[in-house]
Amino acid sequence: MSALDINNEHLKELENEAIFIMREIAAQFENPALLFSGGKDSILLVHLAKKAFWPNKIPFPLLHIDTGHNFQETLDYRDNLAKELGCDLIVKYVQDSINEGKCVEEKGINASRNKLQTVTLLDALEDLKCDAAIGGGRRDEEKARAKERFFSHRDEFGQWDPKNQRPELWNIFNGRKNMGEHFRVFPISNWTELDVWQYIMKEGIELPNLYYTHKRKVFNRDGVWLAFAPYMELKKEEEVVERDVRCRTIGDVTCTGVTLSTADTIEDIVTEIAASRITERGGRADDKRSEAAMEDRKKEGYF
């Protein structure tokens, strides 16, 4: 069987599950927001939310935490999508958190604003009085994310305790919370990367061109190709070159690895993903800082 052979029944089950959870969010919470990064998973969430509430508008805003070091293609896509759908778009800036002294900019070769997003996100959820933040996390991405429930409880400090989560039997989800607490909700938890791409291909969902092969200035650091930006500091031995690359996952430029690739159609990407033995977050420099980097960040309130 080819990777291009789509199991429509399987994808329909995943779609129905995600739509059911979207509707549960609207029913159980008073002020949810959809965390939108401009990556394929958050774009998929918007598409599913659109289906869940059609012909009405999506009943919650898109919330983007802008590090100031995002790919411009991502920002352009974000603005165009919100305008096209008539969605409320709320953007909060990491630079504001730095200016207010709530977090400190990292310095040095491996400096990144990725971790600083946590401060800005928690402040945004508190300011907006959000009781649920909808995210595109999937259990196949990373071992810490495999521990998440669909409805993932956060305490009054926005922190996650993986040992204190509620059981989820069948399709019964418990959204009860105390004052100041909130939930992160992950409607596509059971999807795999290949499921996402096959669904995108089936539905004809438009994506930023970052996901398709394009020429970009890059450099190699510790076996990972990174896109070059003027605010990034290079080691003496590192050289900026132009290569044909694409992104498998999109985040802050400083930590988003790119893949050497010739895949310039969704069909090519699906075939490439099916043959890959490296996870999509295998190129994320922020995950390599420690053995438990993602879990530590999630406990502090990260996505």
Side-chain angles (χ1 to χ4, degrees), residues 21 65 120 126 239 297:
I21 292 167
I65 306 301
T120 311
E126 184 175 357
E239 179 185 3
R297 293 201 305 278

Side-chain angles (χ1 to χ4, degrees), residues 22-23 97-98 133 226 228 279-280:
M22 287 286 186
R23 292 171 177 166
S97 299
I98 295 171
L226 295 171
F228 175 72
T279 66
E280 71 183 294

Side-chain angles (χ1 to χ4, degrees), residues 265-283:
T265 67
I266 291 186
E267 290 78 10
D268 290 341
I269 292 171
V270 169
T271 301
E272 183 179 273
I273 295 299
S276 177
R277 294 297 174 263
I278 300 173
T279 66
E280 71 183 294
R281 291 192 69 92

Side-chain angles (χ1 to χ4, degrees), residues 14 34 43 88 125 160 164 218 240 246 252 268 273 291:
L14 291 174
L34 192 154
I43 292 169
D88 293 329
L125 295 177
W160 172 65
N164 187 28
V218 297
V240 177
R246 73 175 194 86
D252 189 278
D268 290 341
I273 295 299
E291 187 67 23

Side-chain angles (χ1 to χ4, degrees), residues 167-184:
E168 292 182 342
L169 306 175
W170 301 284
N171 59 353
I172 301 173
F173 303 108
N174 184 351
R176 292 184 182 178
K177 57 180 177 50
N178 296 317
M179 181 71 71
E181 299 174 345
H182 73 275
F183 279 81
R184 306 289 171 85

